[in-house]
Amino acid sequence: MRTPIPGIQFPTQWPSDTLIVFEQAPNPSDLWMLDLSDPESPRAEVYLPLEADLDHMVVSRDGTLAAYTSDESGRDEIYIRSLPEPGERTLVSEGGGLYPFWSPDGNTVYY
C-alpha cells in the first residue's frame, strides 16, 4: 500500500517493526513518523512541523524520546523531545551539533 506524502522523504531511522521516522524536504524540513502497526492502513503524520530546518531524528531504545538537529538558534544544535507527542524541547548541545545517536543503553545522546 502506498501512503502519498508531499515533497521528498529521507528516512533517518526504523526504530521498530511498526515505526519509521523521516524528514520531509525540501528545506526547511519537517520531522515525520510512519506508523505501520496496521499494514492495511499505514499512517504518516507530522511529528514536528516546521519551526526551523529539522533533521536527523532518532528514537531512543525505549521509544519514549526523540533526538534531532534543528537550526532554530541560528546554528545546528541537538534537541530532545518526548515521543510520540512532542513535549517541551531540551537543548543537548551547546556550540553546535549534528547527527545525534543514542548510546546502546539509551541514556546518552552522542553527536
Side-chain angles (χ1 to χ4, degrees):
M1 167 158 286
R2 292 182 54 152
T3 302
I5 302 166
I8 301 168
Q9 298 80 44
F10 300 97
T12 58
Q13 187 185 27
W14 192 320
S16 73
D17 291 342
T18 60
L19 180 66
I20 299 172
V21 294
F22 61 96
E23 56 193 75
Q24 181 271 334
N27 281 342
S29 301
D30 291 337
L31 299 177
W32 286 64
M33 299 183 299
L34 178 60
D35 180 353
L36 303 170
S37 56
D38 179 357
E40 298 300 316
S41 183
R43 286 188 350 256
E45 54 190 55
V46 175
Y47 170 69
L48 273 180
L50 182 65
E51 294 178 354
D53 193 19
L54 307 172
D55 301 299
H56 316 298
M57 183 166 116
V58 290
V59 177
S60 63
R61 185 178 195 122
D62 67 2
T64 63
L65 297 171
Y68 62 93
T69 304
S70 173
D71 67 357
E72 63 196 78
S73 71
R75 67 176 166 214
D76 289 327
E77 298 283 4
I78 305 300
Y79 295 89
I80 295 176
R81 291 185 189 242
S82 60
L83 191 77
E85 295 299 322
E88 288 293 316
R89 71 176 185 260
T90 300
L91 176 64
V92 173
S93 63
E94 292 189 30
L98 288 168
Y99 305 108
F101 65 97
W102 292 92
S103 64
D105 66 7
N107 293 323
T108 305
V109 174
Y110 297 103
Y111 54 93

